[in-house]
Amino acid sequence: MFDFLIVGAGFSGAVLAERIASQLGKKVLVVDKRNHIGGNAYDYYNEAGILIHKYGPHWFHTNDKGVFNYLSQFTKWRYHFHVVKTYVDGRLLPIPINMDTLNSLYGLNLQSPEEVQAYFDKVKLPISNPKNSEEVVVSQVGEDLYNKFFKGYTLKQWEIHPKDLAASVTARIPTRTNRDERYFTDTYQCMPKDGYTVLFQNMLNHPNISILLNTDYKDIQTFIPFNKMIYTGPIDSFFDYKFGKLPYRSLKFEHETHNKEYFQSVQQVNYPNDYDFTRIVEWKHATGQQSSVTTITREYSILANDETDKYYPIPMEENHQLFNLYKKEADKLGNVIFCGRLADYKYYNMDQVIARALMIFEKQINTK
Ligand code: FAD
Ligand code: UDP
């Protein structure tokens, strides 16, 4: 008899399993249909011995000290500022757009944040309350930079015009007036020293936690006895798509190993306007692994279907409305807790997922 059946061994499921097992001493069964733990953060050593992320790049960053301290129980860290460049007009330029981006792209000689701000003020469009992903960008940096850095990338990634995407999507990328080339400015930016999979192994290594892989919970839920379920899979699938399918984006990955130490100068290069892929990631820059060979991964975005994994909820008003129909059904169920990027249909980063799982543990589970 299990106190909890947890569907999904990603961050949402693993955090809750760890908390319930270690803090409440209750028995948990974690079930995942994949053949490994870690959810989308899973990493592994490929045939060339390079540590790569199976489901796309996972750069850890947070301002949440609680989340950082919590994870630090299960891993040591490699401190590393995440740096991304973008390929525009034949050059590799800093993204987020900053002083160096403008100077290199336009041959300017802007020297101070005030001069950069004055440039943005000259080119930006006067939109005081941006309502979509196009307006967010053009209201900060104007049309030319939007066309060069955001429009093509967003069309490739979502196959939806930025005008039709929620403002929150491109609002993830800030604009800078200084020379800061970090992709994120969060206080904590690092990678688990031995990788994510080892971190998950350490989290789930507890006598009260059992793990069942290669198993869809639907195939076992009727004969495995449990009191309560925590569900971290797609919410529409839980309800057998009764209101229709929620759309998600999926990805195809093309891995390539090169017989040289490095392929590109940074861990990630974005390609807004050239090629069919969105970005090329070179893992060793972020993991710090030393090797005479290197593996890169090209990412192609596709609409998810029944055969593919579901990676990105698509932030659009009509999808939000459909999600709300499922959410109302979910709220009626007394013994199932829904949690995570797929179950909440929210474009969460890892730290947000972890913070939410910790909050659910305190508010809904540890209620004695
Ligand atoms: P998931 O990791 O998706 O785990 C859900 C698990 O449930 C899966 O393992 C799935 O197999 C399992 N499951 C689903 N249905 C069933 C079923 N019926 N039966 C059994 N098991 C089931 N975040 C960052 O902070 N930084 C980044 O750089 C970053 N990059 C990302 C890049 C990509 C390409 C993607 C897709 C995401 C990225 N994220 C990043 C976000 C991060 O992956 C998520 O926030 C986090 O992993 C979500 O954890 P989760 O446990 O909610 O979901
Ligand atoms: N984006 C863009 N150009 C870039 C980087 C990002 O247009 O060079 C937009 C695009 O719509 C993308 C979104 O901003 O989907 C969020 O980017 P992020 O790097 O956070 O995407 P993720 O790593 O989550 O795929």
Side-chain angles (χ1 to χ4, degrees):
M1 178 73 180
F2 290 97
D3 297 297
F4 284 86
L5 172 66
I6 300 188
V7 180
F11 269 116
S12 304
V15 168
L16 283 163
E18 186 283 326
R19 287 290 86 187
I20 292 166
S22 74
Q23 302 303 300
L24 305 181
K26 293 194 169 169
K27 294 227 173 299
V28 178
L29 175 64
V30 181
V31 53
D32 203 299
K33 61 183 183 186
R34 289 173 171 164
N35 63 359
H36 56 73
I37 58 173
N40 283 341
Y42 171 74
D43 55 13
Y44 68 101
Y45 288 88
N46 68 7
E47 61 294 337
I50 303 297
L51 181 62
I52 71 172
H53 300 182
K54 180 160 186 184
Y55 306 102
H58 280 70
W59 315 136
F60 183 75
H61 59 101
T62 190
N63 281 318
D64 189 330
K65 194 171 182 194
V67 166
F68 179 75
N69 287 345
Y70 172 74
L71 285 186
S72 302
Q73 298 174 80
F74 312 106
T75 185
K76 292 200 168 73
W77 297 102
R78 168 176 198 258
Y79 293 93
H80 168 83
F81 292 126
H82 303 301
V83 175
V84 177
K85 295 257 165 43
T86 191
Y87 183 76
V88 168
D89 292 352
R91 265 171 296 178
L92 285 187
L93 299 170
I95 178 96
I97 292 170
N98 68 12
M99 188 190 286
D100 289 330
T101 317
L102 297 184
N103 285 339
S104 308
L105 184 66
Y106 296 124
L108 299 171
N109 187 23
L110 306 172
Q111 300 277 357
S112 68
E114 292 73 28
E115 286 175 25
V116 175
Q117 189 55 55
Y119 181 88
F120 288 142
D121 288 344
K122 200 172 67 192
V123 294
K124 72 185 188 191
L125 301 194
I127 301 168
S128 53
N129 181 21
K131 284 183 277 309
N132 58 54
S133 266
E134 178 176 285
E135 289 186 0
V136 164
V137 182
V138 295
S139 67
Q140 291 180 70
V141 300
E143 280 175 314
D144 194 49
L145 290 164
Y146 160 74
N147 284 327
K148 287 187 155 78
F149 288 78
F150 286 89
K151 190 175 175 190
Y153 191 101
T154 303
L155 282 167
K156 267 197 250 181
Q157 171 69 16
W158 302 96
E159 282 184 282
I160 293 168
H161 197 282
K163 269 187 196 149
D164 299 319
L165 267 183
S168 57
V169 176
T170 51
R172 289 166 62 87
I173 314 301
T175 303
R176 307 239 169 87
T177 54
N178 56 20
R179 303 187 61 200
D180 188 347
E181 62 164 5
R182 297 171 301 165
Y183 202 54
F184 314 105
T185 49
D186 293 0
T187 311
Y188 306 100
Q189 309 198 27
C190 38
M191 298 292 282
K193 198 155 187 289
D194 299 315
Y196 286 97
T197 301
V198 172
L199 186 165
F200 276 90
Q201 282 163 354
N202 293 338
M203 282 175 95
L204 294 171
N205 180 15
H206 192 283
N208 289 338
I209 300 177
S210 306
I211 300 170
L212 195 54
L213 298 176
N214 298 306
T215 307
D216 192 316
Y217 81 102
K218 289 191 177 177
D219 297 334
I220 54 130
Q221 62 174 344
T222 49
F223 58 85
I224 298 247
F226 62 92
N227 279 331
K228 225 169 169 157
M229 182 189 287
I230 294 169
Y231 180 80
T232 77
I235 190 167
D236 54 348
S237 144
F238 183 91
F239 291 105
D240 296 322
Y241 311 105
K242 69 181 194 179
F243 299 123
K245 289 190 174 178
L246 278 165
Y248 295 83
R249 297 297 296 174
S250 191
L251 298 168
K252 279 194 186 153
F253 301 104
E254 193 175 86
H255 306 292
E256 216 169 69
T257 296
H258 291 256
N259 209 1
K260 52 175 157 180
E261 206 178 352
Y262 288 105
F263 176 86
Q264 60 192 31
S265 59
V266 287
Q267 66 200 73
Q268 181 179 320
V269 177
N270 292 350
Y271 289 85
N273 310 312
D274 300 86
Y275 310 108
D276 291 338
F277 47 84
T278 52
R279 53 193 181 187
I280 299 181
V281 163
E282 184 171 19
W283 305 99
K284 278 169 50 182
H285 287 292
T287 60
Q289 194 180 353
Q290 302 293 314
S291 171
S292 57
V293 300
T294 189
T295 301
I296 58 150
T297 301
R298 296 189 188 89
E299 238 172 85
Y300 300 83
S301 174
I302 53 171
L303 190 63
N305 60 43
D306 292 343
E307 273 74 56
T308 63
D309 281 313
K310 294 170 176 171
Y311 294 135
Y312 290 85
I314 304 179
M316 289 173 78
E317 183 50 33
E318 64 201 72
N319 302 342
H320 186 64
Q321 283 172 16
L322 179 54
F323 166 75
N324 278 338
L325 295 179
Y326 285 114
K327 172 85 172 67
K328 274 192 195 133
E329 293 297 294
D331 289 343
K332 289 184 205 156
L333 298 177
N335 69 337
V336 186
I337 293 173
F338 290 78
C339 157
R341 176 151 150 148
L342 302 170
D344 291 338
Y345 200 70
K346 292 234 162 54
Y347 191 175
Y348 289 139
N349 291 326
M350 289 179 283
D351 64 326
Q352 296 170 300
V353 157
I354 294 160
R356 180 156 160 73
L358 291 172
M359 194 267 287
I360 285 178
F361 175 72
E362 290 305 338
K363 294 254 164 72
Q364 294 183 45
I365 298 172
N366 187 20
T367 50
K368 271 183 283 171

